[in-house]
Amino acid sequence: MNANDVKQITVIGAGQMGHQIGMLCALGGFETIIQDLNGNALQDAEAKLQTIMSKWVSKGKLAEDAKASAFNRLRFSASLEESVRNSDLIIEAVTEKLDVKKEVFSKLEQYAPPNSIFATNSSTIVNSLIAGETERSEKVVNMHFFFPPLVMDCVEVVMSEQTSEETAQIAMEVCKKINRTAVLLKKEISGFVANRILGSLQKEAVALYEQGIADYKDIDIICRKALNHPIGPFELMDLSGLDVAYYVMEQRYRETGDPADKPFACVAEKVEKGELGRKTGKGWYEYHSNKIKS
């Protein structure tokens, strides 16, 4: 199998990552299915993509006929079995919980063709922790897209000791076809590269806040003005979702057992309150009509 054999891609999960990954694949010329058990999530995903692509057309980033062609290649389905039956590449983009991902991969093994490649979009969980749910560890790989996928031009492609070179190269070529810069990591490590660096910055930022050294808004200002970051660490948590940040830290702590890797108390408190950031209208900041309220 090579990259030219990949004709159909299925993305599992229509959430904030999955629907945009699916659109990238459709724009890249692949027959694409976005699958989610939640019908409302599928409707919401389609509506969001129509809005984003219409804005691209109005700004001259995409031709109207290219938009129409992409949507002709894109389908939405609530059936997992039907969605993966003929798929050459399946990209899992469900919640950042190991047990949930294992359950998905176990079902994929039942329904997908033997030659299908399974990729996880996990931002921190290495694929070897999931591949055991399948009979094809050599065909399992990480394809870590960054949020939001339609904007961010990077994918971390991560191999385990079992992942074949063929699988990794196909993943790299698919990224090229969907106009994304892929970086191949041949050794697994929790969090990969970007999130390990980002996690260190985030950990220090929250520690400074919890110690009362500076307010979270001031820390964001310093990171933007002094370090030239596009957004501060607290703004980034709101953008990605505080629940995502919590699950990533929780998974890291389970793997290392290091108390320093435990989820931050202030983040856990917000997650318990349902204050997850932009998607709920409140996190570290409050949001109304896409504008931040201090």
Side-chain angles (χ1 to χ4, degrees):
M1 186 177 182
N2 59 52
N4 292 328
D5 295 320
V6 178
K7 307 297 183 185
Q8 179 176 300
I9 296 175
T10 298
V11 180
I12 310 299
Q16 63 179 6
M17 295 295 292
H19 73 285
Q20 292 201 16
I21 294 171
M23 193 74 243
L24 279 175
C25 295
L27 288 168
F30 294 100
E31 294 296 323
T32 306
I33 301 172
I34 297 175
Q35 187 276 334
D36 199 297
L37 296 176
N38 186 327
N40 290 332
L42 292 172
Q43 292 179 6
D44 187 49
E46 185 171 11
K48 285 179 178 177
L49 290 175
Q50 288 285 358
T51 299
I52 294 170
M53 292 300 104
S54 294
K55 287 181 180 179
W56 280 24
V57 170
S58 66
K59 292 179 179 180
K61 293 177 63 178
L62 184 70
E64 183 65 48
D65 60 345
K67 172 192 169 186
S69 294
F71 275 102
N72 284 338
R73 289 188 289 270
L74 183 61
R75 292 188 287 132
F76 299 83
S77 175
S79 171
L80 179 64
E81 184 174 1
E82 292 179 5
S83 296
V84 303
R85 182 180 294 155
N86 299 307
S87 286
D88 305 299
L89 170 63
I90 301 166
I91 303 173
E92 167 271 309
V94 302
T95 189
E96 195 70 359
K97 291 184 177 180
L98 180 58
D99 58 340
V100 176
K101 292 182 185 295
K102 282 185 172 183
E103 183 179 357
V104 169
F105 271 62
S106 177
K107 290 179 179 178
L108 293 180
E109 181 63 29
Q110 296 178 45
Y111 302 139
N115 64 336
S116 295
I117 290 173
F118 295 173
T120 174
N121 178 56
S122 176
S123 60
T124 189
I125 299 172
V126 294
N127 71 77
S128 62
L129 292 178
I130 311 170
E133 303 301 314
T134 78
E135 298 296 327
R136 61 184 86 191
S137 296
E138 77 284 357
K139 292 182 177 294
V140 180
V141 68
N142 285 82
M143 291 178 69
H144 175 217
F145 292 77
F146 291 83
F147 183 76
L150 284 166
V151 175
M152 300 297 286
D153 175 28
C154 189
V155 180
E156 290 176 318
V157 175
V158 188
M159 300 174 65
S160 72
E161 290 184 358
Q162 290 75 40
T163 306
S164 70
E165 288 285 347
E166 176 186 277
T167 295
Q169 288 308 312
I170 290 172
M172 296 288 287
E173 285 298 318
V174 167
C175 290
K176 185 176 181 180
K177 288 186 176 183
I178 63 175
N179 198 31
R180 285 297 172 267
T181 299
V183 179
L184 179 61
L185 306 181
K186 293 196 171 188
K187 187 174 182 180
E188 289 186 316
I189 186 169
S190 177
F192 319 133
V193 173
N195 278 344
R196 289 187 74 86
I197 295 171
L198 181 62
S200 295
L201 185 147
Q202 181 178 277
K203 185 181 291 187
E204 186 62 26
V206 174
L208 291 169
Y209 166 71
E210 290 187 334
Q211 293 169 26
I213 304 300
D215 185 71
Y216 67 88
K217 288 179 282 188
D218 292 329
I219 295 171
D220 278 348
I221 289 171
I222 290 169
C223 287
R224 283 189 275 107
K225 299 295 185 180
L227 304 180
N228 203 28
H229 292 185
I231 60 176
F234 295 92
E235 292 169 314
L236 183 57
M237 278 188 269
D238 273 3
L239 178 64
S240 301
L242 276 92
D243 53 337
V244 175
Y246 178 86
Y247 294 144
V248 166
M249 289 182 282
E250 187 177 49
Q251 178 62 31
R252 181 74 62 81
Y253 175 60
R254 285 177 180 172
E255 291 179 21
T256 66
D258 185 348
D261 290 329
K262 275 188 176 182
F264 307 120
C266 57
V267 172
E269 182 180 349
K270 288 188 175 295
V271 171
E272 288 173 7
K273 291 181 180 178
E275 298 174 358
L276 308 182
R278 287 180 180 268
K279 59 187 173 186
T280 59
K282 184 177 182 181
W284 291 104
Y285 298 87
E286 291 186 15
Y287 300 86
H288 180 68
S289 300
N290 295 322
K291 293 181 180 178
I292 298 177
K293 287 185 178 180
S294 298

